[in-house]
Amino acid sequence: MKQTQITDTLIIGDRSPLALIAGPCVIESSDFTLKMAEEIRKVCDRLQIPFIFKSSFDKANRTSVESFRGQNLEEGLGILQRVKDEIGVPILTDIHESSQAKIVAEVVDVLQIPAFLCRQTDLLLAAAATGRTVNVKKGQFLAPWDMKNVVSKLESGGAKNILLTERGTSFGYNTLVVDFRSLPQMRELGYPVVFDATHSVQMPGGQGTKSGGQRQFVPYLARAAAAIGIDALFMEVHENPDLALSDGPNMIPLAQLENVLKQVLSVRNGLEIAPVVEL
């Protein structure tokens, strides 16, 4: 499996330490975003977990046109640049249009392609052309082996550093299920795999004009993914999820982050006692 280079000092995959991609779903304000980045970094420093801060400047796929979407591009990137400079952590954010790729790549370390858009050829090629690391979330409608076509598009565009993320599969209406076979299946495509523990418990459109979620199951799914083997864990975190402006029902409280990560690390460390059995 190839390693994916995030920065000069941060590599994901192939026996590298488990990395955490985390932050609030959307940039709610400058002060709040900086505070969250600093607090999550402190947790990761204590646990010695490599940390990439994640937050979206624009949530372009909210359920309702009335929902909070975030900041405009210029303001959002300005806040992410402050996080990078003042907190000193790598940054990940998502893009929704090909035209955003180049300008966003001037600030962030990882461009993320949302699950709904994972097959969009022009978007993938635009992201690949920036030279930045690209994290693609597997569509809720996609088989894990179909991600080979996504990888092929990125590679044809020149991408060398790729992450593939599992975030649940549509299971009937307004709910998702995780098929954990997807993690080793996507790893066979040659790149590190990430498990998105918080979007996997999302209930898309489950509250009518907004999505619901079952955050109480996040620790269980995160531990299960660690047991199977992942290279990075993705979790959206908020100081008070019940007051969050986006995806509150599936985010975990900041106060619980450290305990969740301790459990995940305990499971991952257990895998090092004996080699993985391949049949």
Side-chain angles (χ1 to χ4, degrees):
M1 180 181 68
K2 299 176 182 176
Q3 293 181 324
T4 290
Q5 187 99 28
I6 307 299
T7 68
D8 291 341
T9 58
L10 175 52
I11 293 174
I12 292 179
D14 196 18
R15 301 181 183 180
S16 297
L18 179 75
L20 177 70
I21 302 170
C25 177
V26 66
I27 297 173
E28 298 185 5
S29 71
S30 178
D31 289 345
F32 175 74
T33 303
L34 286 161
K35 178 182 178 182
M36 288 296 300
E38 183 174 21
E39 293 302 317
I40 297 172
R41 190 201 64 186
K42 289 178 181 176
V43 171
C44 290
D45 285 348
R46 287 196 290 272
L47 299 179
Q48 298 184 316
I49 298 177
F51 170 45
I52 301 169
F53 180 76
K54 180 272 167 186
S55 198
S56 300
F57 60 85
D58 178 20
K59 300 300 294 181
N61 54 0
R62 298 299 305 277
T63 304
S64 169
V65 72
E66 304 295 335
S67 298
F68 178 77
R69 286 183 52 165
Q71 320 295 322
N72 63 47
L73 179 61
E74 182 179 359
E75 185 175 359
L77 290 180
I79 294 170
L80 292 176
Q81 184 68 63
R82 285 190 62 191
V83 171
K84 190 171 186 175
D85 294 342
E86 298 177 26
I87 310 301
V89 293
I91 303 293
L92 175 151
T93 198
D94 36 18
I95 58 173
H96 298 83
E97 300 176 13
S98 303
S99 60
Q100 296 173 337
K102 185 176 180 180
I103 188 170
V104 174
E106 293 175 0
V107 173
V108 309
D109 302 279
V110 184
L111 294 171
Q112 179 168 281
I113 307 298
F116 285 134
L117 303 175
C118 70
R119 289 169 51 118
Q120 296 299 105
T121 303
D122 290 345
L123 184 60
L124 292 166
L125 293 177
T130 67
R132 288 293 192 186
T133 300
V134 183
N135 177 36
V136 186
K137 291 194 173 184
K138 180 179 74 64
Q140 303 91 328
F141 47 85
L142 212 61
W145 48 87
D146 287 335
M147 288 294 280
K148 69 177 185 287
N149 298 312
V150 173
V151 169
S152 177
K153 291 177 182 179
L154 288 171
E155 290 177 336
S156 71
K160 300 188 182 306
N161 292 290
I162 298 171
L163 299 171
L164 303 175
T165 297
E166 169 61 64
R167 53 92 75 222
T169 300
S170 295
F171 186 66
Y173 299 126
N174 299 127
T175 193
L176 303 168
V177 66
V178 177
D179 177 1
F180 283 109
R181 293 176 298 180
S182 68
L183 295 171
Q185 287 171 325
M186 288 201 295
R187 180 174 274 141
E188 289 177 358
L189 300 176
Y191 292 96
V193 294
V194 182
F195 180 63
D196 180 345
T198 47
H199 285 105
S200 291
V201 301
Q202 190 181 54
M203 303 177 75
Q207 295 183 5
T209 58
K210 60 183 179 180
S211 292
Q214 297 175 310
R215 80 169 70 101
Q216 69 270 28
F217 295 123
V218 169
Y220 298 99
L221 296 189
R223 293 200 303 267
I228 290 170
I230 52 175
D231 302 293
L233 179 64
F234 181 111
M235 292 197 295
E236 290 190 334
V237 183
H238 195 281
E239 187 174 42
N240 188 342
D242 290 335
L243 298 179
L245 299 181
S246 176
D247 274 1
N250 51 275
M251 280 196 282
I252 67 167
L254 175 62
Q256 297 300 324
L257 175 62
E258 188 160 351
N259 286 333
V260 172
L261 290 175
K262 285 179 177 176
Q263 292 180 337
V264 169
L265 290 176
S266 177
V267 171
R268 181 180 172 89
N269 292 338
L271 293 178
E272 297 177 359
I273 296 175
V276 174
V277 176
E278 297 183 356
L279 303 177

